[in-house]
Amino acid sequence: MISASARLLRLVSLLAARPSWTCGELADRMAVADRTVRRDIAKLRELGYTIESDPGPWGGYRLQAGARTPPLILDDEEALAVAIGLREAALSGALGGDQAALSALLKLRQVLPQRIADRLGEMDAAFVHTPRPDEPQITPGILLELAAACRRGERARLSYRDWEGKATARDVDPYRLVHTGRRWYFVARDVAQEEWRTFRADRVERLQPTGHPVELIDPPDPALLVSRSVSTGPYPLHTTIRLPMPMDQALRLIPSTVGAHRPEGPDATIVDIGGPDADGLAAYLLSLATPLRVVSPEAVRQALLRRTQELLEDNANGQSGE
């Protein structure tokens, strides 16, 4: 049996994970009696958490913003500073491709006193994030909206503008946000198409919850899905190569935004790469300056051999031409 303090932390985590829980649902998740849940809710309220509840067997508990920020013992300026730091970490991807900064920011904003939340909102409106030339602009509000949708576990209506600028609307089951180092991608199940899709977060115009709860069955690896989508993209030709190196080393050589990687044992990696044509792919492979084998297609293999032969001939004839 877990300790009372560990149980309270578990309860806080569950309350922060979605908008509402019934007493029975919380009891099932924590493997305790309903009476224990009610006693723990009362204890959290004593600690400063504002937890609202609805009466009746189908009533639920909701974690709301409190009069102060429990239990971190942060003053207003400290809480605001933490929220701003988490926001900037999410926008820059400073913590890598996971959602740690966004998840922490969502939890913090949920319990921020209104006076601090208002100040943070004013700063969001006043400050502009300046991306690199190849990085799209995206607002903190959109990121938080998408992250919240991933946490809610309910269907949403997505308003999206594709790469051609065409506006579409579709029902999706949100799953994860993935940061590639340049862009944020929203991973969700397209309900009408019955398939998992990736959407560029900067092209999302609106995401509206429908209130319809969903349970995701056998969801994909979100990072791998984004990697494959980005690397194969709308290219007319794709090649598969084998690198005689572990996957972590292959990822340093060919970023996940360029190729989709999968290990072949501990010392080799298979990479799928998209390109404009066989000659363009061959030129990229030659620029890697590393041993590799083209698995397919034959056109890329022949283009690589031709370029390699031309390079050898140019260097063999170099001295006589001087």
Side-chain angles (χ1 to χ4, degrees):
M1 180 179 295
I2 62 175
S3 66
S5 57
R7 195 174 64 241
L8 288 177
L9 290 174
R10 170 66 173 156
L11 180 56
V12 171
S13 178
L14 288 172
L15 289 170
R18 76 183 202 196
S20 180
W21 294 82
T22 67
C23 184
E25 289 174 332
L26 290 171
D28 288 342
R29 285 295 189 95
M30 300 174 62
V32 297
D34 289 8
R35 181 177 57 186
T36 302
V37 172
R38 289 191 290 268
R39 185 167 61 241
D40 287 348
I41 290 289
K43 182 62 176 178
L44 288 177
R45 286 169 173 162
E46 292 175 4
L47 293 173
Y49 289 93
T50 302
I51 303 173
E52 297 182 351
S53 58
D54 296 322
W58 303 109
Y61 291 107
R62 296 184 304 277
L63 182 63
Q64 299 295 325
R68 60 188 179 87
T69 309
L72 300 176
I73 319 299
L74 299 176
D75 61 27
D76 287 6
E77 298 302 321
E78 290 171 334
L80 183 62
V82 170
I84 292 172
L86 289 171
R87 182 196 63 182
E88 294 306 309
L91 280 173
S92 65
L95 299 181
D98 58 27
Q99 301 181 128
L102 279 175
S103 178
L105 181 55
L106 277 172
K107 290 180 180 180
L108 180 59
R109 291 188 73 153
Q110 194 169 4
V111 295
L112 280 178
Q114 192 60 47
R115 60 185 179 276
I116 305 179
D118 289 343
R119 290 179 63 187
L120 185 61
E122 292 169 359
M123 297 185 76
D124 283 344
F127 288 113
V128 176
H129 172 65
T130 304
R132 299 188 301 267
D134 61 344
E135 179 186 353
Q137 179 77 38
I138 185 169
T139 65
I142 285 291
L143 276 180
L144 287 175
E145 186 178 341
L146 294 174
C150 293
R151 289 165 57 88
R152 271 194 297 263
E154 65 181 47
R155 189 157 294 165
R157 187 70 172 171
L158 174 69
S159 298
Y160 186 74
R161 194 167 295 276
D162 64 19
W163 65 278
E164 295 179 322
K166 180 182 177 182
T168 61
R170 67 194 81 191
D171 288 337
V172 297
D173 297 335
Y175 180 45
R176 289 289 188 271
L177 273 174
V178 176
H179 192 263
T180 64
R182 294 180 59 234
R183 295 187 177 97
W184 280 100
Y185 287 86
F186 175 52
V187 177
R189 180 179 176 273
D190 189 315
V191 177
Q193 299 296 323
E194 296 185 345
E195 64 179 6
W196 289 97
R197 295 284 307 279
T198 63
F199 304 91
R200 270 180 49 173
D202 58 291
R203 292 177 179 164
V204 173
E205 297 184 337
R206 189 182 183 192
L207 191 72
Q208 185 174 5
T210 65
H212 176 66
V214 292
E215 183 177 354
L216 302 178
I217 300 175
D218 194 24
D221 180 327
L224 182 59
L225 185 66
V226 169
S227 176
R228 287 175 174 169
S229 174
V230 172
S231 61
T232 57
Y235 293 111
L237 184 65
H238 301 89
T239 185
T240 301
I241 65 171
R242 183 184 186 275
L243 296 171
M245 61 185 67
M247 188 164 167
D248 58 345
Q249 187 178 343
L251 282 165
R252 289 194 294 270
L253 179 67
I254 303 176
S256 60
T257 52
V258 174
H261 303 63
R262 60 184 184 276
E264 187 184 62
D267 300 317
T269 305
I270 302 296
V271 187
D272 299 317
I273 306 170
D277 50 44
D279 194 59
L281 282 167
Y284 174 73
L285 296 179
L286 196 59
S287 72
L288 296 175
T290 191
L292 59 86
R293 177 167 60 86
V294 176
V295 178
S296 66
E298 183 64 24
V300 175
R301 182 185 296 110
Q302 291 302 322
L304 181 61
L305 289 172
R306 184 173 59 254
R307 278 183 166 268
T308 303
Q309 184 63 36
E310 291 172 355
L311 183 63
L312 289 172
E313 292 175 357
D314 287 345
N315 282 274
N317 298 329
Q319 284 186 336
S320 60
E322 289 181 356

